[in-house]
């Protein structure tokens, strides 16, 4: 039997329009994470955390709306986050979003939604997401352990590979890139990155 929430995806944030219902600390965290991923975010609540207002002043992708939730608030949102402090309201939001065929996560009852936010570690273009089936504390602990190894050295390595891929595909075609990738991303990839030798190895293919 496949695990629930067992289909990990990396989405193009520029494509994603999100609605976060609730204006507290959890909503702030969810909205911030969505913005970091590139999404456009609306936050709906009677009262809004002061840091949400500060964030909206800095980031035009964040829109704040004061008021009560109704099903029409979902509008064109592709992702709905139920983050109020009222379990009945969150349940209603989940039901409405499901009925409209939207992705929905419920912060206090993951099983009521159809998706969850993993614990995420970012290092440049490297994104590592950890899911534990609805146990966020465990996911965060594992994420923190992974983050200690996969740091800025890996961000630089991935950035170098991305640049090299573009250069080789443009100048030499796919066969040259495949050869480079096979040589550079082998069993010793992590050792080369952590020993500070990876930049030299990339340079040899330019």
């Amino acid at each position: 039997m496949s695990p629930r929430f067992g289909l990990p995806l990396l989405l193009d944030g520029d494509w994603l329009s999100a609605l976060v219902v609730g204006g507290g600390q959890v909503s702030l965290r969810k909205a911030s994470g969505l913005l970091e991923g590139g999404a456009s975010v609306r936050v709906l609540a009677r009262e809004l955390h002061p840091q949400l207002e500060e964030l909206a002043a800095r980031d035009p992708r964040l829109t704040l709306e004061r008021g009560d939730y109704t099903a029409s608030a979902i509008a064109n949102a592709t992702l709905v986050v139920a983050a109020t402090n009222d379990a009945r309201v969150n349940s209603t939001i989940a039901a409405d979003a499901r009925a409209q065929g939207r992705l929905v996560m419920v912060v206090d009852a993951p099983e009521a939604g159809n998706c969850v936010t993993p614990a995420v570690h970012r290092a440049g273009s490297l994104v590592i997401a950890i899911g534990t089936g609805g146990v966020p504390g465990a996911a965060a602990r594992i994420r923190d352990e992974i983050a200690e190894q996969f740091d800025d050295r890996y961000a630089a390595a991935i950035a170098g590979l991305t640049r090299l891929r573009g250069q080789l595909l443009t100048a030499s075609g796919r066969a040259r890139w495949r050869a480079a990738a096979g040589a550079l991303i082998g069993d010793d990839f992590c050792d080369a990155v952590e020993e500070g030798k990876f930049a030299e190895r990339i340079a040899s293919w330019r």
Side-chain angles (χ1 to χ4, degrees), residues 6 28 31 33 47 56 58 65-67 69 78 86 108 117 123 151 154 156 160 173 180 196 205:
L28 172 63
E47 298 182 4
R58 298 194 306 269
E65 301 175 4
R66 294 183 183 273
Y69 168 80
T78 48
D86 188 321
D108 62 346
T117 303
D151 53 19
Y154 283 88
W205 284 88

Side-chain angles (χ1 to χ4, degrees), residues 26-202:
V26 174
S27 296
L28 172 63
R29 187 171 69 250
K30 294 296 184 183
S32 298
L34 288 164
L35 291 169
E36 187 177 8
S40 297
V41 183
R42 288 183 294 125
V43 176
L44 170 64
R46 284 185 181 180
E47 298 182 4
L48 297 165
H49 195 288
Q51 289 183 17
L52 279 169
E53 296 179 333
E54 294 172 7
L55 187 57
R58 298 194 306 269
D59 194 329
R61 294 172 303 155
L62 176 59
T63 302
L64 305 181
E65 301 175 4
R66 294 183 183 273
D68 294 322
Y69 168 80
T70 62
S72 63
I74 292 174
N76 66 343
T78 48
L79 170 65
V80 180
V81 181
T84 77
N85 58 6
D86 188 321
R88 288 177 296 179
V89 173
N90 286 347
S91 179
T92 298
I93 295 167
D96 291 342
R98 283 177 173 276
Q100 296 185 43
R102 312 303 169 87
L103 294 172
V104 57
M105 62 180 70
V106 183
V107 296
D108 62 346
E111 66 281 357
N114 55 24
C115 64
V116 294
T117 303
V120 176
H121 167 59
R122 299 178 188 272
S125 295
L126 175 63
V127 180
I128 301 174
I130 307 298
T132 53
V135 187
R141 178 63 64 187
I142 295 168
R143 185 261 329 270
D144 293 345
E145 289 292 324
I146 289 173
E148 291 186 10
Q149 176 179 355
F150 295 94
D151 53 19
D152 288 343
R153 298 169 299 176
Y154 283 88
I158 296 300
L161 283 169
T162 300
R163 288 191 297 270
L164 180 65
R165 180 179 184 274
Q167 292 166 1
L168 294 184
L169 288 176
T170 298
S172 306
R174 193 167 296 276
R176 177 70 170 167
W177 163 245
R178 286 175 178 167
L184 293 169
I185 316 173
D187 292 341
D188 60 347
F189 170 65
C190 291
D191 290 338
V193 172
E194 292 170 19
E195 292 169 5
K197 300 177 180 178
F198 196 70
E200 295 177 10
R201 295 182 62 179
I202 286 182

